[in-house]
Every structure is written in C-alpha cells, then in structure tokens.
Amino acid sequence: MTSTAATNSAGGAGVPMQPAPGGSHARFDVAGTPRITFGRLVAVEWRKMLDTRAGFWLLLLTGVLLLIAVGLTLLVVGLNDFEISANDVSQILTIPLSLLLPVFPITSVTSEWSQRSGLVTFTLEPHRLRVLLAKLTAVVLLALSTIVIAIALGALTTVIAANITGNDVRWELEGRTLGLLVLSQLLYFGMAFALATLLLYTPASIAVFYVVALLLPFMVYSVLYGFFEWARDLIPWIDLQFAFAPFLDSTQNVGAKEIGQLSSAIFLWIVLPGVLGMRRVLRAEPK
C-alpha cells in the first residue's frame, strides 16, 4: 500500500518508488529520469552570469560608458564637421563594451567556487565538462551580443551625426572589419574564461586579466617596443594585443609570420590556461 501510494504521488515527476530489499522502506528509482538538456544548461548559466547584483551594476556601468562614448563621438564630429561611417562608430563603441564585460566570463566560473554554489551545480549536473561547455557557450553568446549592440548603436549614432553635420549617412560596414571585431571580442572573452578556470578565484582572475590585457600592453610593452629591437621581435609572440594589431591595419600585409605570432599568443593566454584550468575544474573538490 505504501509503495503504491508513493508511486502514484511521484508519478507526475516520472520517478516511481520501488520497494527496498526486505520490504521495510521504499527508495527512489532515478534511472529513467531524463537528462538535463544542453540548451537548458546554457540558459541557466546565462541567467547565473547576468542576473546578479554584480551583473546589474556591471551592465549599468557599461551602459554609462556607452553613452559617454556616443556623446564624445557626436561632440567631436559636430565640432570638426567631418563625416563618420557606421564602420568607424562600431569600432569606437566596442571599446567600452570590452572594458567591463569580460568580468562576466570570470565570475561565471569563479562564483561556483568562491560562493560555494558548485555543490548545487555539480549535484544537479554531475558531468562537469557539460557545465563548463554550457558556461563557455553563454560567454560566446555574450561576446556576440556585444557586437550586435555596438553595430546597432553605431547605426543610430551615424544617423545623428549626419543630421548634426548635414552630411550624407554612410552605412558601409566592411565584412573584414566586422569579422575582426567579432574575433577580437571572442579572444578577450576567451582569455578571461581560461584564466578563471585556471585560478578559480575572482579577485585574482580579474587582476591577472586586466594586467595582461590592459596594463602590460599600454604601460610596459609599448615602452619596450619603442626603444628596443629585441622587444619588437619578442612582444608580438607573447602579447595578444600586439599580435592582433597587424590584422586591424588594412594597409599592412598579413603573412605567415603574423599568423604565427597570433597563434602563439592565443596558445599562451587562451589554450594553455584553458586546458590546465579545465583539468583543474574536473578534478577539484568543491567545498
């Protein structure tokens, strides 16, 4: 009687109760429970990444930076009375989108360990590789969303700028430029994600990312690059920004050397820490 009632009450969930050996107690049989779909995992990770207090303030600050960038662009265009295209504005607007949003890939990984939510996450989905891939997919979608936002705001800003100066609206958006913008965002978001999996600690991951991605190129590498020949030979092999620069310059011919330099920097800051970090996540013990 007990077993039948339990079976009926659990029937809506698809998890029947089975009599345990000896007949004194009942147990759940979860063998037929359907697996969580990958799409649902991605949706959950997307919400966990953005729907937090930190996510709210990061999005708000990013929106403020976007408005400042749009305002400064219109101010410069209006004062100098020159034409600007959607291609130019989109490139400008990717800068504020790249300043704060890489924190999201970091917190999507480290929050599982720093806030101890990994106990719940890896209990509901014990296959950690699927969880990591879902997080990475959400990060890629976020990176692509930033490009869409930059293009949309770029188009709006271009129309406003044309009305201010009285010039024609220039809609041209080069396919090569668009592809490089997408690749650049994916690389830096990928770097943030890889460093987070390796360190599994939010402050350290954020600090290392911004030192490697921003401080070293502007404050150290640029000085060395300008004064020393050995630095001009070495830095493009180890720094992602310097390695990517030739691809952004349409007047420069890109050859095997430039491709090799970019591949070296990608391996150093994305592939290597990503592989080591994935190995750590798969073996680490949540506490």
Side-chain angles (χ1 to χ4, degrees):
M1 184 68 179
T2 302
S3 176
T4 303
T7 300
N8 293 333
S9 63
V15 184
M17 297 289 290
Q18 299 292 340
S24 57
H25 300 286
R27 59 182 176 84
F28 279 107
D29 181 9
V30 297
T33 303
R35 191 180 192 182
I36 301 176
T37 63
F38 187 74
R40 186 171 185 179
L41 286 177
V42 173
V44 169
E45 295 302 332
W46 175 272
R47 183 173 180 181
K48 286 165 60 179
M49 183 169 54
L50 300 178
D51 191 12
T52 61
R53 289 184 180 179
F56 169 79
W57 286 107
L58 281 174
L59 290 175
L60 180 62
L61 291 176
T62 301
V64 172
L65 290 176
L66 277 174
L67 292 178
I68 293 174
V70 170
L72 290 176
T73 301
L74 294 176
L75 178 63
V76 172
V77 170
L79 291 176
N80 294 276
D81 192 22
F82 61 81
E83 293 184 359
I84 190 169
S85 67
N87 187 69
D88 301 325
V89 180
S90 298
Q91 293 185 63
I92 294 172
L93 295 184
T94 55
I95 298 175
L97 288 171
S98 303
L99 289 178
L100 295 177
L101 293 186
V103 174
F104 283 115
I106 292 175
T107 56
S108 70
V109 177
T110 57
S111 61
E112 303 287 8
W113 308 88
S114 60
Q115 299 177 16
R116 301 181 181 180
S117 60
L119 290 172
V120 176
T121 299
F122 298 134
T123 298
L124 296 176
E125 176 49 75
H127 298 87
R128 297 188 187 182
L129 183 59
R130 295 188 77 223
V131 175
L132 277 179
L133 292 177
K135 291 179 182 293
L136 182 59
T137 302
V139 167
V140 170
L141 292 176
L142 178 62
L144 296 177
S145 299
T146 63
I147 301 299
V148 174
I149 293 173
I151 294 174
L153 286 178
L156 178 61
T157 305
T158 303
V159 173
I160 298 175
N163 290 328
I164 292 175
T165 61
N167 298 316
D168 295 332
V169 179
R170 295 174 54 191
W171 292 111
E172 63 266 21
L173 182 60
E174 300 175 0
R176 179 177 183 273
T177 301
L178 178 60
L180 290 175
L181 288 177
V182 173
L183 179 59
S184 176
Q185 289 292 82
L186 290 176
L187 288 179
Y188 282 102
F189 276 57
M191 179 195 294
F193 186 84
L195 292 174
T197 59
L198 180 63
L199 300 175
L200 296 182
Y201 185 55
T202 303
S205 300
I206 294 175
V208 171
F209 173 77
Y210 281 108
V211 166
V212 172
L214 295 178
L215 295 183
L216 284 179
F218 284 106
M219 300 182 65
V220 179
Y221 293 156
S222 58
V223 176
L224 296 176
Y225 195 88
F227 287 97
F228 301 102
E229 182 67 28
W230 61 266
R232 287 190 285 271
D233 295 332
L234 175 63
I235 291 175
W237 294 92
I238 62 174
D239 182 76
L240 194 59
Q241 181 173 322
F242 278 83
F244 199 70
F247 295 85
L248 297 175
D249 187 358
S250 59
T251 63
Q252 184 172 342
N253 293 326
V254 176
K257 179 181 179 181
E258 288 74 20
I259 296 175
Q261 290 172 341
L262 181 60
S263 300
S264 174
I266 291 175
F267 176 81
L268 182 62
W269 294 112
I270 300 178
V271 177
L272 183 60
V275 171
L276 295 177
M278 185 176 296
R279 180 182 176 90
R280 183 181 183 188
V281 170
L282 294 179
R283 294 191 174 191
E285 183 70 25
K287 297 180 181 179

